[in-house]
Amino acid sequence: EDKVVQSPLSLVVHEGDTVTLNCSYEVTNFRSLLWYKQEKKAPTFLFMLTSSGIEKKSGRLSSILDKKELFSILNITATQTGDSAVYLCAVEGTIQGAQKLVFGQGTRLTINP
Amino acid sequence: GAVVSQHPSRVICKSGTSVKIECRSLDFQATTMFWYRQFPKQSLMLMATSNEGSKATYEQGVEKDKFLINHASLTLSTLTVTSAHPEDSSFYICSARAIQPGLASYNEQFFGPGTRLTVL
């Protein structure tokens, strides 16, 4: 069964801390792994990863993929209260002939001032 | 670019009524649109894949007759929740996949803002 598992499910830290969010997956015919940030509405795109070992960075956020271990991490440094959100990991695979996104449960991140 | 809209953003209806949700790609063409459902504090679950000009493909456990999907053009897909019941109350999100190579990430899905359905 195709699945994406995120950990932790919930995380509360103080402003300025660094956090690491984890995503492991088992998805048929892997195409890409995506990270999204979801506040109150639909997810907003953060990163798409297709190759192992190549770190993608955007400001204080960075992410890397390990296709051998079927694992990705999302790092956020110097966290701010505006980083509070649910972070979703999704893996796109070709499943039964169709390209589909399989989402993890999400990590609810709370940054306290 | 790559904007997806949904209408309405919120709907409250009585049990037994049907509700139609529209998903539009505003500045690109999408041969494929996806419909997701998200219950509170849960992740997005794919309901169906909608291909322009053909029948939608539903995920296991999703009732075709209850969730009618129509993808009449390259920029519009609709989801109709027929005879809605309180257990259908959820956040419905669509996404659209761009078909033009070179548009940002070719295979990327662009998400709409979602529609919150409450059935009383």
Side-chain angles (χ1 to χ4, degrees):
Chain A
E1 182 187 350
D2 298 290
K3 61 181 179 182
V4 176
V5 177
Q6 291 184 245
S7 64
L9 294 180
S10 180
L11 185 58
V12 181
V13 300
H14 290 292
E15 202 168 19
D17 288 351
T18 293
V19 298
T20 298
L21 310 183
N22 306 299
C23 176
S24 64
Y25 63 91
E26 290 179 37
V27 174
T28 308
N29 297 322
F30 173 92
R31 294 177 58 87
S32 62
L33 184 144
L34 301 100
W35 284 96
Y36 294 90
K37 178 181 182 181
Q38 186 177 29
E39 295 173 269
K40 293 193 175 175
K41 290 198 171 180
T44 54
F45 173 80
L46 295 175
F47 296 111
M48 182 170 76
L49 304 160
T50 55
S51 301
S52 270
I54 299 173
E55 186 182 50
K56 293 215 170 178
K57 284 181 71 77
S58 176
R60 296 176 294 102
L61 278 67
S62 63
S63 184
I64 197 162
L65 172 67
D66 184 337
K67 289 170 74 173
K68 183 179 176 185
E69 297 297 327
L70 308 183
F71 191 81
S72 175
I73 60 172
L74 174 68
N75 276 321
I76 309 176
T77 59
T79 52
Q80 302 171 357
T81 54
D83 295 327
S84 296
V86 175
Y87 290 83
L88 296 170
C89 174
V91 174
E92 184 174 36
T94 304
I95 302 166
Q96 295 177 331
Q99 292 174 22
K100 299 179 184 178
L101 278 180
V102 179
F103 280 85
Q105 324 94 299
T107 294
R108 183 171 297 276
L109 177 63
T110 303
I111 310 295
N112 288 327
Chain B
V3 178
V4 176
S5 71
Q6 276 184 246
H7 178 80
S9 58
R10 187 175 189 117
V11 59
I12 302 172
C13 67
K14 291 183 179 179
S15 187
T17 58
S18 292
V19 175
K20 181 188 278 190
I21 302 170
E22 291 186 350
C23 176
R24 292 181 185 272
S25 57
L26 297 185
D27 49 4
F28 67 99
Q29 292 182 322
T31 52
T32 306
M33 289 185 173
F34 302 86
W35 287 96
Y36 296 86
R37 180 167 52 184
Q38 185 177 34
F39 291 108
K41 296 191 178 181
Q42 294 187 26
S43 193
L44 279 74
M45 296 297 295
L46 179 65
M47 298 174 67
T49 302
S50 166
N51 293 295
E52 186 263 339
S54 64
K55 290 184 179 179
T57 303
Y58 290 80
E59 295 300 300
Q60 196 171 5
V62 178
E63 297 175 57
K64 300 178 185 182
D65 296 330
K66 181 162 187 65
F67 299 99
L68 300 177
I69 291 172
N70 183 282
H71 193 159
S73 76
L74 286 172
T75 59
L76 173 65
S77 176
T78 60
L79 168 69
T80 302
V81 183
T82 61
S83 186
H85 290 285
E87 57 266 29
D88 298 324
S89 299
S90 188
F91 192 52
Y92 292 86
I93 304 174
C94 74
S95 70
R97 175 182 289 145
I99 64 170
Q100 296 100 320
L103 172 65
S105 182
Y106 174 56
N107 283 317
E108 185 176 346
Q109 290 185 30
F110 299 96
F111 285 86
T115 296
R116 187 163 300 281
L117 170 64
T118 303
V119 185
L120 302 175

Coordinates of all heavy atoms in Angstrom, one line a residue, chain B residues 18-79:
Chain B
S18 N -28.2 19.2 -3.0 CA -26.9 18.9 -3.7 C -26.1 20.2 -3.8 O -26.7 21.3 -3.9 CB -27.3 18.4 -5.1 OG -27.9 17.2 -5.1
V19 N -24.9 20.1 -3.8 CA -24.0 21.2 -3.8 C -22.9 21.1 -4.9 O -22.3 20.0 -5.1 CB -23.2 21.4 -2.5 CG1 -22.2 22.5 -2.5 CG2 -24.2 21.6 -1.3
K20 N -22.8 22.1 -5.7 CA -21.8 22.1 -6.8 C -20.6 23.0 -6.5 O -20.8 24.2 -6.1 CB -22.4 22.6 -8.1 CG -21.4 22.5 -9.3 CD -22.0 23.2 -10.6 CE -22.9 22.2 -11.3 NZ -23.2 22.7 -12.7
I21 N -19.4 22.5 -6.6 CA -18.2 23.3 -6.4 C -17.4 23.3 -7.7 O -17.2 22.3 -8.4 CB -17.3 22.6 -5.3 CG1 -18.1 22.4 -4.0 CG2 -16.0 23.4 -5.1 CD1 -17.4 21.5 -3.0
E22 N -17.0 24.6 -8.1 CA -16.3 24.8 -9.3 C -14.8 25.0 -9.0 O -14.4 25.6 -8.1 CB -16.8 26.0 -10.0 CG -18.2 25.9 -10.6 CD -18.6 27.1 -11.4 OE1 -17.9 28.1 -11.4 OE2 -19.6 27.0 -12.1
C23 N -14.0 24.4 -9.9 CA -12.5 24.6 -9.9 C -12.1 25.1 -11.2 O -12.3 24.4 -12.2 CB -11.9 23.2 -9.5 SG -10.1 23.3 -9.5
R24 N -11.4 26.2 -11.2 CA -11.0 26.8 -12.5 C -9.5 27.1 -12.5 O -8.9 27.6 -11.5 CB -11.7 28.2 -12.8 CG -13.1 28.0 -13.0 CD -13.8 29.4 -13.3 NE -15.2 29.3 -13.5 CZ -15.8 29.0 -14.6 NH1 -15.1 28.8 -15.7 NH2 -17.1 28.9 -14.7
S25 N -8.8 26.8 -13.5 CA -7.4 27.2 -13.7 C -7.5 28.5 -14.5 O -8.1 28.6 -15.6 CB -6.6 26.2 -14.5 OG -7.2 25.9 -15.7
L26 N -7.0 29.6 -13.9 CA -7.3 31.0 -14.4 C -6.3 31.4 -15.5 O -6.7 32.1 -16.4 CB -7.2 32.0 -13.3 CG -8.2 31.8 -12.2 CD1 -8.2 32.9 -11.2 CD2 -9.6 31.7 -12.8
D27 N -5.1 30.9 -15.5 CA -4.1 31.4 -16.5 C -3.3 30.3 -17.1 O -2.2 30.6 -17.7 CB -3.2 32.5 -15.8 CG -2.6 31.9 -14.5 OD1 -2.9 30.8 -14.1 OD2 -1.9 32.7 -13.8
F28 N -3.8 29.1 -17.1 CA -3.2 28.0 -17.8 C -4.2 26.9 -18.1 O -5.3 26.9 -17.5 CB -2.0 27.4 -16.9 CG -2.4 26.7 -15.6 CD1 -2.5 25.4 -15.6 CD2 -2.7 27.5 -14.5 CE1 -2.9 24.7 -14.4 CE2 -3.1 26.9 -13.3 CZ -3.2 25.5 -13.3
Q29 N -3.8 26.0 -18.9 CA -4.7 24.9 -19.3 C -4.3 23.7 -18.5 O -3.2 23.4 -18.4 CB -4.7 24.7 -20.8 CG -5.3 25.8 -21.6 CD -5.3 25.5 -23.1 OE1 -4.3 25.0 -23.6 NE2 -6.3 25.9 -23.7
A30 N -5.3 23.0 -18.1 CA -5.1 21.8 -17.3 C -5.8 20.6 -17.9 O -7.1 20.6 -17.8 CB -5.5 22.0 -15.8
T31 N -5.1 19.6 -18.4 CA -5.9 18.4 -18.8 C -6.3 17.6 -17.7 O -7.3 16.8 -17.8 CB -5.0 17.5 -19.7 OG1 -3.8 17.3 -19.0 CG2 -4.7 18.2 -21.1
T32 N -5.6 17.7 -16.5 CA -6.0 16.9 -15.4 C -6.2 17.8 -14.2 O -5.4 18.7 -13.9 CB -4.8 15.9 -15.0 OG1 -4.5 15.1 -16.2 CG2 -5.3 15.0 -13.9
M33 N -7.3 17.5 -13.5 CA -7.6 18.2 -12.2 C -7.9 17.1 -11.2 O -8.4 16.0 -11.5 CB -8.8 19.1 -12.3 CG -8.5 20.4 -13.2 SD -9.9 21.5 -13.2 CE -9.1 22.9 -14.0
F34 N -7.5 17.4 -10.0 CA -7.7 16.4 -8.9 C -8.6 17.0 -7.8 O -8.6 18.2 -7.5 CB -6.3 16.1 -8.2 CG -5.3 15.6 -9.2 CD1 -4.5 16.5 -9.9 CD2 -5.1 14.2 -9.3 CE1 -3.6 16.0 -10.8 CE2 -4.2 13.7 -10.2 CZ -3.4 14.6 -10.9
W35 N -9.4 16.2 -7.2 CA -10.3 16.6 -6.1 C -9.8 15.9 -4.8 O -9.7 14.6 -4.8 CB -11.7 16.3 -6.4 CG -12.3 17.2 -7.5 CD1 -12.4 17.0 -8.8 CD2 -12.8 18.5 -7.2 NE1 -12.9 18.1 -9.4 CE2 -13.2 19.1 -8.5 CE3 -13.0 19.3 -6.1 CZ2 -13.8 20.3 -8.6 CZ3 -13.5 20.6 -6.2 CH2 -13.9 21.1 -7.5
Y36 N -9.6 16.6 -3.8 CA -9.2 16.1 -2.5 C -10.3 16.5 -1.4 O -11.0 17.5 -1.6 CB -7.9 16.7 -2.0 CG -6.7 16.4 -2.9 CD1 -6.4 17.1 -4.1 CD2 -5.9 15.3 -2.6 CE1 -5.3 16.8 -4.9 CE2 -4.8 15.0 -3.4 CZ -4.5 15.8 -4.5 OH -3.4 15.5 -5.3
R37 N -10.3 15.7 -0.4 CA -11.1 16.0 0.8 C -10.2 16.0 2.0 O -9.3 15.2 2.1 CB -12.2 15.0 0.9 CG -13.2 15.2 2.1 CD -14.4 14.3 1.9 NE -14.1 12.9 1.7 CZ -15.0 12.0 1.5 NH1 -16.3 12.3 1.5 NH2 -14.6 10.7 1.4
Q38 N -10.5 17.0 2.9 CA -9.7 17.0 4.1 C -10.6 17.2 5.3 O -11.3 18.3 5.4 CB -8.7 18.2 4.0 CG -7.7 18.3 5.2 CD -6.7 19.4 5.0 OE1 -7.0 20.4 4.5 NE2 -5.5 19.1 5.5
F39 N -10.6 16.2 6.2 CA -11.4 16.3 7.4 C -10.5 17.1 8.4 O -9.3 17.1 8.3 CB -11.8 15.0 7.9 CG -12.8 14.3 7.0 CD1 -12.5 13.2 6.2 CD2 -14.1 14.8 7.0 CE1 -13.4 12.6 5.4 CE2 -15.1 14.2 6.2 CZ -14.7 13.1 5.4
P40 N -11.1 17.6 9.5 CA -10.4 18.4 10.5 C -9.2 17.7 11.0 O -9.3 16.5 11.4 CB -11.4 18.7 11.5 CG -12.7 18.7 10.8 CD -12.6 17.6 9.8
K41 N -8.1 18.4 11.0 CA -6.8 17.8 11.6 C -6.3 16.6 10.9 O -5.6 15.8 11.5 CB -6.9 17.6 13.1 CG -7.2 18.9 13.8 CD -7.1 18.8 15.3 CE -7.3 20.1 16.0 NZ -7.2 20.1 17.4
Q42 N -6.8 16.4 9.7 CA -6.3 15.2 8.9 C -5.7 15.7 7.6 O -5.8 16.9 7.3 CB -7.4 14.2 8.6 CG -8.0 13.6 9.8 CD -9.0 12.5 9.5 OE1 -9.0 11.9 8.4 NE2 -9.9 12.2 10.4
S43 N -5.0 14.8 6.9 CA -4.4 15.2 5.7 C -5.3 15.2 4.5 O -6.5 14.8 4.6 CB -3.1 14.4 5.4 OG -2.3 14.9 4.4
L44 N -4.8 15.6 3.4 CA -5.6 15.6 2.1 C -5.7 14.1 1.6 O -4.7 13.4 1.5 CB -5.0 16.4 1.0 CG -5.2 17.9 1.1 CD1 -4.3 18.5 2.2 CD2 -4.8 18.5 -0.2
M45 N -6.9 13.8 1.3 CA -7.2 12.4 0.7 C -7.7 12.6 -0.7 O -8.7 13.3 -0.9 CB -8.2 11.7 1.6 CG -7.7 11.4 3.0 SD -6.3 10.3 3.0 CE -6.9 8.8 2.3
L46 N -7.0 12.0 -1.6 CA -7.5 12.1 -3.0 C -8.8 11.4 -3.2 O -8.9 10.2 -2.8 CB -6.4 11.5 -4.0 CG -6.7 11.5 -5.4 CD1 -6.8 12.9 -6.0 CD2 -5.7 10.7 -6.2
M47 N -9.7 12.1 -3.8 CA -11.0 11.5 -4.1 C -11.1 11.0 -5.5 O -11.6 9.9 -5.7 CB -12.2 12.5 -3.9 CG -12.3 13.1 -2.5 SD -13.5 14.4 -2.5 CE -15.0 13.5 -2.8
A48 N -10.7 11.8 -6.4 CA -10.8 11.4 -7.8 C -9.9 12.3 -8.7 O -9.5 13.4 -8.3 CB -12.3 11.6 -8.3
T49 N -9.6 11.7 -9.8 CA -8.8 12.4 -10.8 C -9.7 12.7 -12.0 O -10.4 11.8 -12.5 CB -7.6 11.5 -11.3 OG1 -6.8 11.2 -10.2 CG2 -6.8 12.2 -12.3
S50 N -9.7 13.9 -12.4 CA -10.6 14.4 -13.5 C -9.8 14.7 -14.7 O -9.0 15.6 -14.7 CB -11.4 15.6 -12.9 OG -12.0 16.3 -14.0
N51 N -10.1 14.1 -15.8 CA -9.5 14.3 -17.1 C -10.4 15.0 -18.0 O -11.6 14.5 -18.2 CB -8.9 13.0 -17.7 CG -7.8 12.5 -16.9 OD1 -6.7 13.1 -16.7 ND2 -8.0 11.3 -16.3
E52 N -10.0 16.0 -18.7 CA -10.9 16.8 -19.6 C -11.4 15.9 -20.7 O -10.6 15.2 -21.4 CB -10.1 17.9 -20.2 CG -10.9 18.9 -21.1 CD -10.8 18.6 -22.6 OE1 -9.8 17.9 -22.9 OE2 -11.7 19.0 -23.3
G53 N -12.7 15.9 -20.9 CA -13.3 15.1 -21.9 C -13.5 13.7 -21.7 O -14.0 12.9 -22.6
S54 N -13.2 13.2 -20.5 CA -13.4 11.8 -20.2 C -13.9 11.6 -18.8 O -14.0 12.6 -18.0 CB -12.1 11.0 -20.4 OG -11.1 11.4 -19.5
K55 N -14.3 10.4 -18.5 CA -14.9 10.1 -17.1 C -13.8 10.2 -16.1 O -12.6 9.9 -16.3 CB -15.5 8.7 -17.1 CG -16.8 8.6 -17.9 CD -17.4 7.2 -17.7 CE -18.7 7.1 -18.5 NZ -19.3 5.8 -18.4
A56 N -14.2 10.7 -14.9 CA -13.2 10.8 -13.8 C -12.9 9.4 -13.3 O -13.7 8.4 -13.4 CB -13.8 11.6 -12.7
T57 N -11.7 9.3 -12.7 CA -11.3 8.1 -12.0 C -11.3 8.3 -10.5 O -10.7 9.2 -10.0 CB -9.8 7.8 -12.4 OG1 -9.7 7.7 -13.9 CG2 -9.4 6.4 -11.8
Y58 N -12.1 7.4 -9.9 CA -12.4 7.6 -8.5 C -11.5 6.7 -7.6 O -11.2 5.6 -8.1 CB -13.8 7.3 -8.1 CG -14.8 8.3 -8.7 CD1 -15.2 8.3 -10.0 CD2 -15.3 9.3 -7.8 CE1 -16.1 9.3 -10.5 CE2 -16.2 10.3 -8.3 CZ -16.6 10.2 -9.6 OH -17.4 11.2 -10.1
E59 N -11.1 7.2 -6.5 CA -10.3 6.4 -5.6 C -11.2 5.3 -4.9 O -12.4 5.5 -4.8 CB -9.6 7.2 -4.5 CG -8.5 8.1 -5.1 CD -7.4 7.4 -5.9 OE1 -6.7 6.6 -5.2 OE2 -7.3 7.6 -7.1
Q60 N -10.6 4.3 -4.4 CA -11.3 3.3 -3.7 C -12.1 3.8 -2.5 O -11.5 4.6 -1.7 CB -10.3 2.2 -3.2 CG -11.0 0.9 -2.8 CD -10.0 -0.2 -2.6 OE1 -8.7 0.1 -2.6 NE2 -10.4 -1.4 -2.4
G61 N -13.3 3.5 -2.4 CA -14.1 3.9 -1.3 C -14.9 5.2 -1.5 O -15.7 5.6 -0.7
V62 N -14.7 5.9 -2.7 CA -15.4 7.1 -3.0 C -16.5 6.8 -3.9 O -16.3 6.2 -5.0 CB -14.4 8.1 -3.7 CG1 -15.2 9.4 -4.1 CG2 -13.3 8.4 -2.8
E63 N -17.7 7.1 -3.6 CA -18.9 6.8 -4.3 C -19.1 7.7 -5.6 O -19.2 8.9 -5.4 CB -20.2 6.9 -3.5 CG -20.2 6.0 -2.2 CD -21.4 6.3 -1.4 OE1 -22.5 6.3 -1.9 OE2 -21.2 6.7 -0.2
K64 N -19.1 7.1 -6.7 CA -19.2 7.8 -8.0 C -20.5 8.6 -8.1 O -20.6 9.7 -8.6 CB -19.1 6.9 -9.2 CG -17.8 6.1 -9.2 CD -17.8 5.2 -10.4 CE -16.5 4.3 -10.4 NZ -16.5 3.4 -11.6
D65 N -21.6 7.9 -7.6 CA -22.9 8.5 -7.8 C -23.1 9.6 -6.8 O -24.1 10.4 -7.0 CB -24.0 7.4 -7.6 CG -23.9 6.4 -8.7 OD1 -23.4 6.7 -9.8 OD2 -24.2 5.2 -8.5
K66 N -22.4 9.6 -5.7 CA -22.5 10.7 -4.7 C -21.7 11.9 -5.1 O -22.1 13.0 -4.9 CB -22.2 10.2 -3.4 CG -22.4 11.2 -2.3 CD -22.4 10.6 -0.9 CE -22.8 11.7 0.1 NZ -24.1 12.2 -0.1
F67 N -20.5 11.7 -5.6 CA -19.6 12.8 -5.9 C -19.4 12.8 -7.4 O -18.6 12.1 -8.0 CB -18.3 12.6 -5.2 CG -18.4 12.6 -3.7 CD1 -18.4 11.4 -3.0 CD2 -18.5 13.8 -3.0 CE1 -18.5 11.4 -1.6 CE2 -18.6 13.8 -1.6 CZ -18.6 12.6 -0.9
L68 N -20.3 13.6 -8.1 CA -20.3 13.7 -9.5 C -19.2 14.7 -10.0 O -19.2 15.8 -9.6 CB -21.6 14.1 -10.1 CG -22.8 13.1 -9.7 CD1 -24.1 13.7 -10.2 CD2 -22.6 11.8 -10.2
I69 N -18.4 14.3 -10.9 CA -17.3 15.1 -11.4 C -17.5 15.3 -12.9 O -17.6 14.4 -13.6 CB -15.9 14.6 -11.1 CG1 -15.7 14.6 -9.5 CG2 -14.8 15.3 -11.8 CD1 -14.5 13.9 -9.1
N70 N -17.4 16.6 -13.3 CA -17.5 16.9 -14.7 C -16.3 17.8 -15.1 O -16.0 18.8 -14.4 CB -18.8 17.7 -15.0 CG -18.9 18.0 -16.5 OD1 -18.3 18.9 -17.0 ND2 -19.7 17.2 -17.2
H71 N -15.6 17.5 -16.1 CA -14.4 18.2 -16.5 C -14.6 18.6 -18.0 O -14.1 18.0 -18.9 CB -13.1 17.4 -16.4 CG -11.9 18.2 -16.5 ND1 -10.7 17.7 -15.9 CD2 -11.6 19.4 -17.0 CE1 -9.7 18.6 -16.2 NE2 -10.2 19.6 -16.8
A72 N -15.4 19.6 -18.2 CA -15.9 20.0 -19.5 C -15.0 20.7 -20.4 O -15.1 20.7 -21.6 CB -17.2 20.8 -19.4
S73 N -14.0 21.4 -19.8 CA -13.1 22.2 -20.6 C -11.7 22.1 -19.9 O -11.5 21.5 -18.8 CB -13.5 23.6 -20.7 OG -13.2 24.3 -19.4
L74 N -10.7 22.7 -20.6 CA -9.3 22.6 -20.1 C -9.1 23.5 -18.9 O -8.0 23.6 -18.3 CB -8.3 22.9 -21.2 CG -8.1 21.8 -22.2 CD1 -7.3 22.4 -23.4 CD2 -7.5 20.6 -21.6
T75 N -10.1 24.3 -18.5 CA -9.9 25.2 -17.4 C -11.0 25.1 -16.3 O -11.0 25.8 -15.4 CB -10.0 26.7 -17.9 OG1 -11.2 26.9 -18.6 CG2 -8.8 27.0 -18.9
L76 N -11.9 24.1 -16.5 CA -13.0 24.0 -15.5 C -13.3 22.6 -15.2 O -13.5 21.7 -16.1 CB -14.2 24.7 -16.0 CG -15.5 24.5 -15.2 CD1 -15.4 25.2 -13.8 CD2 -16.7 25.1 -15.9
S77 N -13.4 22.3 -13.9 CA -13.9 21.0 -13.4 C -14.9 21.3 -12.3 O -14.7 22.2 -11.5 CB -12.8 20.1 -12.9 OG -13.3 18.9 -12.3
T78 N -15.9 20.5 -12.2 CA -16.9 20.7 -11.2 C -17.1 19.4 -10.4 O -17.0 18.3 -10.9 CB -18.3 21.2 -11.7 OG1 -18.8 20.2 -12.6 CG2 -18.2 22.5 -12.4
L79 N -17.3 19.6 -9.1 CA -17.7 18.5 -8.2 C -19.0 18.7 -7.6 O -19.2 19.8 -7.0 CB -16.6 18.4 -7.1 CG -17.0 17.5 -5.9 CD1 -17.0 16.0 -6.3 CD2 -16.0 17.7 -4.7

